[in-house]
Amino acid sequence: FFPVAVAFCAVLFSCDEGNEQETESEVSRAAFLPVDSTYANPYRPQFHFSPRSQWMNDPNGMVYFQGEYHLFYQYYPDSTVWGPMHWGHAVSRDLVHWEHLPIALNPDSLGYIFSGSAVVDWKNTTGFGSVNEPPLIAIYTYHHPETTLQTQAIAYSTDRGRNWTKYDHNPVLPNSGIKDFRDPKVFWHEPSSQWIMILAEASQVGLYGSLDLKSWEPLSKFGQYDGNHGGVWECPDLFQLSDAGVNSRWVMIVSIGSGGPAGGSASQYFIGDFDGKEFRNDYGADQEMWLDYGKDNYAGVTWSDVDPNDGRRIFLGWMSNWQYATKVPTESWRSAMTLPREMVLYQTREGYRVASRPVQEVYQLRIDTTVVNSKLLSGSADWSEVYPSDSTLLNFELTLSDVSNTGFGWELLFENELEEYISLGFDQESNQFFIDRTESGDHSFSEDFSGIQYAKRISGQSQMSLSIWIDRSSIEVFADNGTVVMTDLFFPTLPFDRWTLESGDQSLAVEGRIHQLSSIW
């Protein structure tokens, strides 16, 4: 695969047990999965997590335990398109470099293994371990392929997540007749001394309580009239965030399969209060707030049981969109995850909002740095020869200053000799960031792929910060300290080797650093 060389503003540079019935083929497949030894086939991400081979979608069961971040994920080991779901598995000690492990959960007589979560049972409420050696508990959805009935189940591990035993009295939460009844996210709520489950139920969420993760009682519902209902609700999460001071609020994430701000899949969120029984929205029912305004960040949830001394709330999303996820032009593998992101609460004139920023661990990937001088820019310039054309992985950390009080209007175009391009910019009149991938390369696989995504700027400051991360087939933009986030895929035919900054009549001062990044594989 060609190196996707993307440079930026070059003129500025200074140069089991229970009911699990596994077949022999499932056991052997779980024990060994072929690895693409090069990790260099077309469009393969180099600093984002992707499966060794075949199909992947939602992140599942993310939990931190004994120095390891566990990442489970929806996985089909027999094809590069969606099929009977398993839980794939990988672990990392730094959220950057990943060790692939055998499949954790295989389908059985109760159904496919759909999305869910995992927790450390520190108090041994399940009795599957002990207080001194607490078990890991996975809470997941069974989807029966014939009846389409969805139920909730648990499995446990007493060896740091390497082997899993399904509970012999599954399901622990039967279905009362709701078609879409899935994706449990569970956490321990200390004030009410119980486990809380938030569960997607068609176009709302249900909240349930339990003392032992085995028996569940309904607590409340939320969302029938709140937020966006352009698609079925999926992959909920509920957690507490603090602002820079002493205040804290509860944040609920809910993904929707269609109806997002850029079209198709997206993740919305709500801010409010949770008392151990009910979630109360701080804002009007018709208020819509989105984690990401690009087209390719979906089904994201956060890690459980992160070290209290760390204190971060860390998010990871599936970097795709159901409009075209099964059709993107990759071969032996399909789909990747976003960068891990720290979520923070911040205050605006309209109230609290959630910002997302790349976790600090990803900065270890920097291997070469170019300093950007502060200069005034006006008009258009082509600076394609300044940054090395063999650079494939780049991170830009830049600050743009409006020096003429005329605005921030600008556009960055990354082009190739076929006149394919992707552009990132800011429109002064509409006060919106945008990513344009209408001519970014191959989009023949879906009429929904080509287009322009927009995101309104929240900050009113006279300086604009940009953190841009470019992998072989993706761009992630964190503007104004992560208050605006956009994630998009692209599939160019040839490398982008011409880079142009256009600022029109605006005069801008730009400073910062551009970093080459190393591969994690």
Side-chain angles (χ1 to χ4, degrees), residues 55-70:
W55 170 268
M56 178 187 77
N57 55 288
D58 306 358
N60 296 157
M62 301 194 307
V63 62
Y64 179 80
F65 185 59
Q66 294 185 355
E68 292 180 323
Y69 294 92
H70 289 262

Side-chain angles (χ1 to χ4, degrees), residues 262 292-296 410-412 414 421-427 432-440 449-455 468-469 474-478 484-490:
D292 194 309
Y293 286 84
K295 283 185 74 80
D296 296 306
W410 53 269
E411 183 177 13
L412 300 167
F414 315 129
Y421 69 88
I422 186 168
S423 69
L424 162 67
F426 181 76
D427 181 70
Q432 293 186 111
F433 296 95
F434 63 87
I435 295 179
D436 181 352
R437 62 179 186 186
T438 54
E439 301 295 337
S440 62
F449 187 82
S450 175
I452 307 174
Q453 290 82 57
Y454 296 94
I468 306 167
W469 298 76
S474 66
I475 180 170
E476 290 168 275
V477 181
F478 303 86
V484 176
V485 180
M486 304 182 77
T487 303
D488 268 346
L489 299 175
F490 55 85

Side-chain angles (χ1 to χ4, degrees), residues 36 74 94 106 134 169 173 191 213 237 457 462 502:
D36 179 348
Q74 291 286 277
D94 63 1
N106 289 287
H169 295 294
L173 183 59
L213 294 169
D237 199 352
R457 188 182 189 216
S462 60
E502 297 182 354

Side-chain angles (χ1 to χ4, degrees), residues 8-9 11-13 372-379 383 397-410 412 457 461-466 480 501-514:
F8 178 70
C9 307
V11 73
L12 305 176
F13 298 167
V372 177
N373 289 327
S374 179
K375 285 181 176 285
L376 301 185
L377 299 177
S378 181
W383 304 294
E397 300 289 341
L398 303 173
T399 299
L400 284 70
S401 300
D402 173 15
V403 297
S404 59
N405 295 318
T406 58
F408 277 108
W410 53 269
L412 300 167
R457 188 182 189 216
Q461 295 183 358
S462 60
Q463 285 190 333
M464 178 183 293
S465 68
L466 295 170
D480 291 325
L501 173 65
E502 297 182 354
S503 60
D505 296 330
Q506 281 75 38
S507 295
L508 304 178
V510 183
E511 59 183 357
R513 286 173 169 77
I514 289 81

Side-chain angles (χ1 to χ4, degrees), residues 14 46 60 112 128 138 164 172 192 202 240-241 322 343-344 384 402 476 481:
S14 62
Q46 293 300 292
N60 296 157
Y112 302 160
F128 293 146
W164 292 84
V172 296
S192 61
Q240 208 165 7
L241 277 186
W322 277 120
M343 308 185 79
V344 296
S384 304
D402 173 15
E476 290 168 275
N481 209 23

